[in-house]
C-alpha cells in the first residue's frame, strides 16, 4: 500500500490514465445512448491517430500534415479487404500497418534532409497527391468512395468487425487506443525514444554520439504511419463509408490539434487533448451545426489559437514545467538551508 | 498534338500562373523578413475574394475598381494580425513550430467564420468584361484573365520600386538580409514585421480580387491556392521575390502542359510529385555545395 502511494505520487499521470480507462470502460453501461456513443467512438479514433502522429510530430519533431491521408489509405485497404476479398479487417490492419508504413517510409526517405516547415510541406504534397490518385481510381470507387453494407443481425461478428451497436465499436476502439498508448509509452521510455528525442533537440549532437538520424527517422515514420493506418481500418468498419474527402488536409489537422492542445512532447498529451477537443467539437457540431454551419470550427480554431499563444507547450507540457519548477525551487531551498547550517556550524 | 494546342496551353498556364505568382510573392516576402512560413496565406486570398464580393454585391463596384480598396483593407488587417497575434508567437527565435500551428489555426478560423457569415454556396461577381474574349496569335483568352495578368506585371514593378526606393522598403530589405544588423542600425523590427505582413496580406488580397473576376468564391477556396503558394516559393527559393514571380508562371505552365500529357485528372499528382522532386534535389545540391 505504501509502495502504491509513493508510485502514485511520483507518477500522477499513470493514475489519471488508469482512472480514465476505468471511466471509459464503465461509461457506456450508464450512458447507453447512440449520441454519446458516437462521440466516444470518434474520441478514441482521434486519440489513437493523434498518438500515432505524436511519435513523428512530438518525439522527433517532424510535423507531418499528411496523416489524414495515411489514415484514409488504411481505411481504403480495410474496405477493399472486406468488399472484394471478404477478409477480416483484423488481417487488413496487419497488412495496412506493413504496406502503408513501408510505402510512406519509402516515399519519405529522400525528404528527411529537409528541415522544419519544408518537411511539413512535403507531407502535404504526398497527402494531396494520394487524394488526387484515389479520386480518379475506379477500383476504389473514384470520387464517390466506397460503402460497406449495413450490418444485419446475422452478420454480427467480432472477426469481421461488424456490429449493430455502437458500444461494441467503442470497446474495439478503446482496446486499440490502450494498445497504442502502451506502445507509445514503451517507446517513450526505451532507447529508441531517447534516440528520437535527442535528434529532436539537436541533430548534430545526435550524430556525434553515434545516433544515425536517418535510421531513427525512418523507424519513427514506419511506426507512426503504420499505426495511423490501423486506426483508419477501424474507422472504415465503424463509419462504413469512405471517400477521398477523408484525405483532405483539414483531416490531418484534426489529428494534430489534440496533440498540440494536450502537449506535443508528452505521451498523455494527445489522449487528453482529444478528450477535451473531440467531444466539444462534436457537441458544438450537433448543437450549432444546423443553425450556424461552421461555427463549431470557429470555436475549435479559437481554442487552438489561445493555447498556442498562451501555453505554447500544451496543457500537459505546461503542467510538467510547473512541476519541474516547483521541484527545482524545493531543492534549492533545501540546499540553501543546508548551506546556512554549515556556515553556522 | 499540334502546335496550337500547346500554345493555348502555355497561354492558359501563364494566366493561371499569374495568380500563383501573386500569392507566391506574398508568401515569400513574409518568409524573407520573418523566416516563418505563413500557413494561412490561401485564406488571406479567400478573404480578399470575399471583400471583393461584398464590395461588388453591396456597392455595385466593378471587381477591378475594387482592387485598391481591397488592398488597403487587407493591408490594415495584416498589420493588425501581425502586431496582435503573430508577434507573440515568434519570440522563441529559431523554433517555428508554434507559428506553424498558430497560422494554421488562423486559417481554420478565417474559413470557418466566412462559412458562418456567407454559407457554403459558391458565389461569383458581375464584371464589366465577363464572357468577353480576345485572341492572341490564335490562342483565345478571356479579357478578365488578361487584365489580371497585366495587373500582376504592374504590381510586381510597383513592389520592386517600393522595396528599392522607399525608406520602409529599404528597411524591409535590410531586415531580411540580417535581422540583428538591421536592428543595430536603429531599424524597428516590430514596425518592419507589421508592414511586411500587411504587404503580404495586401498582395494576397489583390490576387483574390483578380481571381474573383473569373472564378467563384467559397470558404475553402483558399486551401488549394495556399498549397500552390508553397510550391511556387519552393520552385523559386523561399525569400526570393523574383523567384516567386517566375515560380508562379512555371507552375501554371506545368499544370496546363502536364494536363496535356497525363490527362487533366492526374495533373495534381504530377504537380505534387514535381514539387517533392524539386524540393529534394535543391536540398541535396545545397548540402553538396556546403560540403
Amino acid at each position: 500500500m505504501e509502495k502504491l502511494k509513493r508510485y502514485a505520487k511520483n507518477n500522477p499521470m499513470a493514475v489519471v490514465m488508469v482512472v480514465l480507462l476505468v471511466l471509459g470502460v464503465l461509461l457506456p453501461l450508464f450512458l447507453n445512448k447512440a449520441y454519446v456513443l458516437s462521440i466516444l467512438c470518434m474520441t478514441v479514433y482521434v486519440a489513437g491517430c493523434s498518438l500515432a502522429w505524436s511519435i513523428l510530430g512530438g518525439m522527433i519533431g517532424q510535423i507531418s500534415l499528411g496523416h489524414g491521408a495515411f489514415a484514409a489509405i488504411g481505411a481504403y485497404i480495410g474496405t477493399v479487404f472486406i468488399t472484394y476479398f471478404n477478409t477480416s479487417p483484423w488481417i487488413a490492419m496487419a497488412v495496412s500497418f506493413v504496406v502503408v508504413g513501408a510505402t510512406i517510409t519509402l516515399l519519405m526517405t529522400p525528404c528527411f534532409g529537409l528541415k522544419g516547415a519544408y518537411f511539413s510541406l512535403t507531407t502535404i504534397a504526398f497527402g494531396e497527391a494520394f487524394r488526387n490518385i484515389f479520386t480518379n481510381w475506379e477500383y476504389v470507387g473514384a470520387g464517390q468512395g466506397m460503402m460497406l453494407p449495413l450490418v444485419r443481425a446475422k452478420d454480427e461478428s467480432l472477426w469481421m468487425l461488424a456490429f449493430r451497436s455502437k458500444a461494441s465499436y467503442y470497446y474495439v476502439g478503446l482496446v486499440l487506443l490502450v494498445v497504442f498508448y502502451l506502445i507509445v509509452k514503451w517507446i517513450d521510455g526505451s532507447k529508441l525514444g531517447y534516440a528520437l528525442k535527442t535528434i529532436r533537440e539537436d541533430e548534430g549532437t545526435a550524430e556525434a554520439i553515434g545516433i544515425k538520424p536517418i535510421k531513427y527517422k525512418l523507424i519513427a515514420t514506419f511506426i507512426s504511419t503504420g499505426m495511423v493506418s490501423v486506426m483508419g481500418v477501424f474507422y472504415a468498419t465503424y463509419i462504413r463509408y469512405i471517400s477521398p474527402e477523408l484525405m483532405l488536409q483539414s483531416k490531418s489537422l484534426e489529428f494534430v490539434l489534440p496533440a498540440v492542445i494536450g502537449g506535443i512532447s508528452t505521451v498523455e498529451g494527445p489522449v487528453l487533448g482529444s478528450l477535451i477537443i473531440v467531444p466539444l467539437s462534436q457537441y458544438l457540431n450537433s448543437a450549432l451545426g444546423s443553425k450556424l454551419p461552421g461555427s463549431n470550427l470557429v470555436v475549435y480554431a479559437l481554442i487552438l489559437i489561445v493555447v498556442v499563444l498562451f501555453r505554447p507547450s500544451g496543457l500537459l507540457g505546461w503542467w510538467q514545467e510547473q512541476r519541474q519548477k516547483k521541484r527545482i525551487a524545493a531543492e534549492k531551498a533545501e540546499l540553501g538551508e543546508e548551506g546556512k547550517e554549515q556556515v553556522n556550524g | 498534338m499540334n502546335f496550337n494546342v500547346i500554345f493555348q496551353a502555355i497561354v492558359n498556364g501563364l494566366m493561371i500562373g499569374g495568380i500563383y505568382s501573386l500569392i507566391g510573392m506574398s508568401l515569400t516576402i513574409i518568409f524573407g523578413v520573418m523566416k516563418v512560413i505563413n500557413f494561412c496565406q490561401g485564406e488571406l486570398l479567400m478573404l480578399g475574394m470575399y471583400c471583393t464580393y461584398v464590395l461588388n454585391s453591396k456597392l455595385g463596384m466593378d471587381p477591378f475598381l475594387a482592387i485598391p480598396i481591397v488592398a488597403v483593407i487587407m493591408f490594415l488587417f495584416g498589420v493588425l494580425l501581425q502586431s496582435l497575434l503573430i508577434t507573440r508567437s515568434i519570440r522563441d527565435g529559431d523554433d517555428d513550430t508554434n507559428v506553424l500551428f498558430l497560422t494554421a489555426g488562423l486559417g481554420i478560423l478565417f474559413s470557418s467564420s466566412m462559412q458562418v457569415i456567407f454559407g457554403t454556396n459558391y458565389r461569383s461577381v458581375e464584371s464589366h468584361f465577363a464572357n468577353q474574349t480576345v485572341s492572341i496569335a490564335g490562342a483565345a483568352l478571356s479579357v478578365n484573365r488578361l487584365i489580371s495578368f497585366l495587373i500582376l506585371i504592374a504590381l510586381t514593378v510597383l513592389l520592386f520600386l517600393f522595396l528599392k526606393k522607399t525608406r520602409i522598403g529599404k528597411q524591409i530589405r535590410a531586415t531580411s538580409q540580417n535581422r540583428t544588423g538591421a536592428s543595430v542600425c536603429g531599424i524597428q523590427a516590430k514596425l518592419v514585421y507589421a508592414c511586411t505582413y500587411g504587404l503580404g496580406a495586401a498582395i494576397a488580397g489583390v490576387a483574390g480580387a483578380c481571381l474573383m473576376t473569373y472564378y467563384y468564391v467559397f470558404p475553402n477556396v483558399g486551401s488549394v491556392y495556399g498549397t500552390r503558394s508553397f510550391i511556387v516559393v519552393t520552385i523559386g527559393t523561399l525569400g526570393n521575390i523574383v523567384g516567386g514571380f517566375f515560380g508562379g508562371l512555371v507552375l501554371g505552365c506545368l499544370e496546363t502542359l502536364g494536363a496535356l500529357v497525363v490527362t487533366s485528372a492526374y495533373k495534381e499528382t504530377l504537380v505534387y510529385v514535381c514539387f517533392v522532386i524539386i524540393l529534394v534535389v535543391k536540398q541535396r545540391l545545397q548540402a553538396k555545395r556546403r560540403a
Side-chain angles (χ1 to χ4, degrees):
Chain A
M1 200 63 212
E2 196 58 29
K3 249 185 189 173
L4 212 61
K5 252 187 196 164
R6 195 178 306 149
Y7 181 79
K9 205 181 168 200
N10 288 334
N11 298 293
M13 250 9 264
V15 180
V16 173
M17 290 320 275
V18 170
V19 171
L20 280 180
L21 180 62
V22 173
L23 274 180
V25 172
L26 295 180
L27 202 59
L29 301 180
F30 301 113
L31 269 173
N32 202 357
K33 282 188 196 136
Y35 171 59
V36 176
L37 286 172
S38 72
I39 289 180
L40 288 176
C41 282
M42 280 319 283
T43 310
V44 288
Y45 166 65
V46 173
C49 291
S50 195
L51 260 178
W53 178 87
S54 76
I55 298 177
L56 202 54
M59 282 189 202
I60 208 161
Q62 299 275 19
I63 309 297
S64 159
L65 293 174
H67 266 56
F70 307 151
I73 299 173
Y76 269 102
I77 291 177
T79 314
V80 164
F81 265 56
I82 295 171
T83 6
Y84 292 148
F85 311 135
N86 202 17
T87 326
S88 162
W90 295 106
I91 297 174
M93 280 181 190
V95 171
S96 73
F97 182 83
V98 177
V99 170
V100 175
T103 317
I104 306 297
T105 312
L106 211 64
L107 284 174
M108 295 273 205
T109 312
C111 309
F112 276 120
L114 303 167
K115 295 268 156 59
Y118 285 103
F119 179 80
S120 311
L121 294 185
T122 54
T123 56
I124 291 179
F126 281 129
E128 292 288 314
F130 275 119
R131 184 160 72 93
N132 186 232
I133 292 171
F134 277 77
T135 315
N136 290 295
W137 195 2
E138 287 295 333
Y139 181 73
V140 293
Q144 288 171 342
M146 290 173 87
M147 224 154 149
L148 287 172
L150 285 176
V151 185
R152 281 165 301 175
K154 66 177 172 64
D155 295 335
E156 279 195 299
S157 77
L158 179 63
W159 179 238
M160 290 302 286
L161 272 186
F163 308 107
R164 281 158 70 87
S165 81
K166 286 195 164 129
S168 318
Y169 280 114
Y170 167 63
Y171 283 122
V172 171
L174 193 63
V175 169
L176 280 176
L177 178 61
V178 170
V179 171
F180 275 25
Y181 173 74
L182 291 176
I183 292 176
V184 177
K185 189 82 192 164
W186 175 76
I187 293 177
D188 188 53
S190 70
K191 203 176 151 194
L192 172 64
Y194 283 105
L196 296 181
K197 281 179 252 177
T198 316
I199 295 168
R200 176 187 69 196
E201 295 306 328
D202 193 335
E203 223 176 296
T205 312
E207 203 154 10
I209 58 175
I211 300 169
K212 285 201 180 74
I214 288 287
K215 180 183 146 197
Y216 283 97
K217 281 180 181 176
L218 290 182
I219 296 173
T221 313
F222 185 86
I223 300 174
S224 174
T225 52
M227 273 165 68
V228 87
S229 75
V230 168
M231 224 52 197
V233 176
F234 164 72
Y235 179 82
T237 59
Y238 164 60
I239 298 286
R240 305 198 84 71
Y241 167 69
I242 50 167
S243 71
E245 291 268 296
L246 272 180
M247 299 190 169
L248 281 175
Q249 217 181 303
S250 55
K251 298 280 173 196
S252 305
L253 276 176
E254 274 176 28
F255 305 154
V256 180
L257 300 194
V260 175
I261 288 166
I264 198 168
S265 52
T266 56
V267 183
E268 288 83 7
V271 181
L272 290 188
S274 349
L275 275 183
I276 297 168
I277 201 80
V278 180
L280 184 72
S281 89
Q282 295 274 328
Y283 168 74
L284 287 172
N285 195 17
S286 65
L288 301 172
S290 51
K291 280 174 241 153
L292 273 176
S295 53
N296 57 323
L297 281 175
V298 173
V299 179
Y300 202 74
L302 283 177
I303 294 176
L304 172 75
I305 291 168
V306 168
V307 169
V308 170
L309 280 179
F310 297 103
R311 296 280 172 265
S313 48
L315 297 177
L316 262 184
W318 172 65
W319 181 74
Q320 276 183 351
E321 278 164 21
Q322 293 296 319
R323 250 167 75 94
Q324 214 143 22
K325 258 186 208 162
K326 250 187 211 163
R327 220 177 53 207
I328 291 171
E331 271 170 20
K332 258 188 191 163
E334 226 170 74
L335 280 180
E337 270 171 23
E338 270 176 23
K340 268 181 204 162
E341 271 168 23
Q342 273 173 6
V343 171
N344 289 343
Chain B
M1 211 188 295
N2 59 10
F3 175 75
N4 250 0
V5 177
I6 297 176
F7 184 66
Q8 176 79 49
I10 291 176
V11 170
N12 283 347
L14 287 177
M15 296 300 127
I16 301 170
I19 301 290
Y20 294 163
S21 286
L22 274 178
I23 187 158
M25 285 195 302
S26 66
L27 185 69
T28 213
I29 222 174
I30 292 175
F31 179 86
V33 171
M34 296 196 274
K35 310 289 176 226
V36 297
I37 293 187
N38 186 27
F39 267 78
C40 60
Q41 201 67 32
E43 276 72 20
L44 290 175
L45 172 129
M46 183 265 308
L47 288 180
M49 290 177 88
Y50 270 112
C51 247
T52 320
Y53 169 76
V54 170
L55 285 173
N56 179 268
S57 60
K58 294 280 183 284
L59 304 174
M61 205 177 268
D62 193 85
F64 285 121
L65 293 178
I67 286 178
I69 303 175
V70 172
V72 171
I73 295 174
M74 290 305 291
F75 178 80
L76 294 177
F77 183 69
V79 169
L80 267 182
L81 205 64
Q82 157 67 25
S83 46
L84 290 182
L85 296 175
I86 297 173
T87 326
R88 301 183 60 114
S89 205
I90 46 176
R91 62 198 155 182
D92 291 327
D94 56 350
D95 183 24
D96 57 355
T97 318
N98 265 321
V99 187
L100 192 160
F101 293 136
L102 178 68
T103 49
L106 285 172
I108 305 176
L109 182 67
F110 295 155
S111 59
S112 53
S113 36
M114 286 304 118
Q115 196 189 339
V116 171
I117 300 171
F118 295 101
T120 44
N121 289 345
Y122 287 28
R123 289 160 195 271
S124 58
V125 297
E126 282 167 24
S127 130
H128 185 64
F129 304 107
N131 302 327
Q132 291 184 26
T133 53
V134 288
S135 92
I136 297 172
L141 77 165
S142 81
V143 176
N144 277 337
R145 285 176 188 240
L146 189 62
I147 297 178
S148 303
F149 191 73
L150 295 177
I151 289 175
L152 156 77
I153 307 272
L155 199 67
T156 315
V157 173
L158 278 179
L159 185 65
F160 268 90
L161 286 179
F162 172 78
L163 288 177
K164 294 269 175 200
K165 300 287 177 197
T166 63
R167 191 182 164 82
I168 184 76
K170 284 176 188 167
Q171 289 183 345
I172 288 177
R173 279 191 299 140
T175 314
S176 85
Q177 276 170 12
N178 189 334
R179 203 188 295 185
T180 328
S183 56
V184 167
C185 297
I187 294 172
Q188 285 185 314
K190 263 191 183 169
L191 186 74
V192 171
Y193 280 15
C195 271
T196 315
Y197 201 88
L199 200 61
I203 298 173
V206 171
C210 289
L211 187 62
M212 200 61 207
T213 57
Y214 57 88
Y215 202 62
Y216 34 84
V217 61
F218 52 97
N220 288 328
V221 70
S223 68
V224 178
Y225 287 92
T227 326
R228 289 290 195 283
S229 69
F230 299 143
I231 304 180
V232 170
V233 295
T234 327
I235 295 177
T237 313
L238 258 172
N240 185 339
I241 299 170
V242 187
F245 177 77
F246 287 108
L249 299 183
V250 167
L251 178 66
C253 291
L254 183 70
E255 244 184 64
T256 47
L257 287 176
L260 292 179
V261 181
V262 295
T263 72
S264 67
Y266 287 103
K267 70 172 185 198
E268 304 253 317
T269 311
L270 181 81
V271 166
Y272 290 119
V273 170
C274 286
F275 163 66
V276 173
I277 292 174
I278 290 171
L279 198 55
V280 169
V281 168
K282 267 192 154 172
Q283 188 263 336
R284 282 284 147 87
L285 287 179
Q286 251 172 13
K288 225 175 227 170
R289 215 174 296 149
R290 234 180 282 136

